[in-house]
């Protein structure tokens, strides 16, 4: 059985190789696709916190979450785009931002910010796919079933089942 005692961050230089090997070995032990919980025993979620910000300049930031899925699957995005901001950068820009909690659903001036421990722009496409998948909580997957299909499509090559009820 693969060693799952060492949880790694999603920016690990050998992330994709290790995930492929780990899931292949886990799949060989089971009778179907590996559930998302198996991947979560190897790699931690990069998402530390969420904020909604008004009039955020998105230049130089990577799309994450639903906005990433919108570009790479059939999932359609919300009016508020999602961007990843590295924690150290967030600490610098946070005092100058207008954080909001109430806003109109279709207000495109609002940006959804996910704070990550590293800069998501530095990830390869495959590492970003893994990171975005892990950034969703089971609660979000239950609440927004449309995400499960999009993430399953995104993670198809890894033979991963994203459904939070998968055993």
């Amino acid at each position: 059985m693969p060693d799952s005692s060492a949880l790694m961050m999603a920016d690990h230089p050998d992330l994709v190789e290790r995930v492929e090997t780990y899931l292949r070995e886990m799949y060989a032990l089971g009778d179907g696709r590996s559930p998302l919980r198996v991947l979560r025993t190897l790699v931690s979620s990069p998402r530390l916190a969420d904020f909604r910000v008004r009039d955020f300049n998105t230049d130089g930031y990577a799309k994450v979450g639903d906005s990433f899925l919108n570009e790479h699957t059939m999932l359609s995005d919300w009016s508020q785009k999602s961007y990843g901001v590295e924690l150290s950068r967030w600490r610098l820009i946070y005092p100058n931002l207008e954080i909001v909690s109430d806003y109109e659903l279709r207000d495109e001036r609002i940006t959804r910010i996910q704070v990550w421990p590293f800069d998501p722009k530095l990830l390869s496409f495959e590492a970003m796919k893994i990171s975005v998948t892990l950034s969703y909580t089971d609660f979000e997957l239950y609440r927004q079933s449309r995400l499960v299909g999009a993430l399953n499509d995104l993670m198809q090559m890894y033979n991963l089942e994203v459904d939070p009820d998968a055993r």
Side-chain angles (χ1 to χ4, degrees):
M1 177 174 230
D3 177 23
S4 62
S5 60
L7 191 65
M8 69 176 148
M9 288 181 49
D11 67 338
H12 190 283
D14 298 325
L15 174 75
V16 175
E17 276 180 25
R18 291 181 66 182
V19 164
E20 287 174 342
T21 300
Y22 188 71
L23 291 177
R24 187 173 42 254
E25 291 175 10
M26 291 304 290
Y27 175 71
L29 296 173
D31 58 355
R33 298 172 71 183
S34 296
L36 181 58
R37 65 180 164 74
V38 171
L39 181 59
R40 287 182 174 155
T41 66
L42 181 67
V43 185
S44 63
S45 170
R47 185 170 144 199
L48 301 175
D50 295 322
F51 297 91
R52 304 296 189 266
V53 178
R54 187 179 323 278
D55 297 325
F56 181 72
N57 181 355
T58 60
D59 292 344
Y61 295 99
K63 288 183 179 178
V64 298
D66 292 1
S67 295
F68 180 84
L69 292 177
N70 179 62
E71 291 187 353
H72 303 287
T73 70
M74 298 294 289
L75 184 81
S76 60
D77 205 355
W78 300 101
S79 297
Q80 296 82 29
K81 304 301 179 219
S82 300
Y83 289 86
V85 177
E86 181 180 13
L87 178 60
S88 60
R89 179 79 179 132
W90 176 253
R91 287 181 174 146
L92 293 173
I93 65 174
Y94 175 79
N96 300 317
L97 298 175
E98 181 184 353
I99 308 295
V100 297
S101 56
D102 294 321
Y103 54 90
E104 295 295 321
L105 184 62
R106 301 212 186 279
D107 188 347
E108 294 181 8
R109 295 180 350 170
I110 304 301
T111 303
R112 301 178 321 176
I113 301 294
Q114 289 184 9
V115 178
W116 288 23
F118 51 83
D119 189 347
K121 290 186 322 216
L122 302 178
L123 296 177
S124 69
F125 177 66
E126 288 302 316
M128 185 63 115
K129 285 171 41 175
I130 293 166
S131 298
V132 167
T133 299
L134 289 168
S135 73
Y136 287 98
T137 65
D138 283 347
F139 181 72
E140 288 170 314
L141 297 175
Y142 282 122
R143 243 179 105 208
Q144 300 177 47
S145 59
R146 68 193 184 98
L147 292 172
V148 173
L151 291 169
N152 278 334
D153 287 348
L154 192 67
M155 298 301 288
Q156 184 175 6
M157 74 172 274
Y158 296 99
N159 204 31
L160 189 76
E161 174 57 55
V162 178
D163 185 347
D165 288 328
R167 295 282 167 215

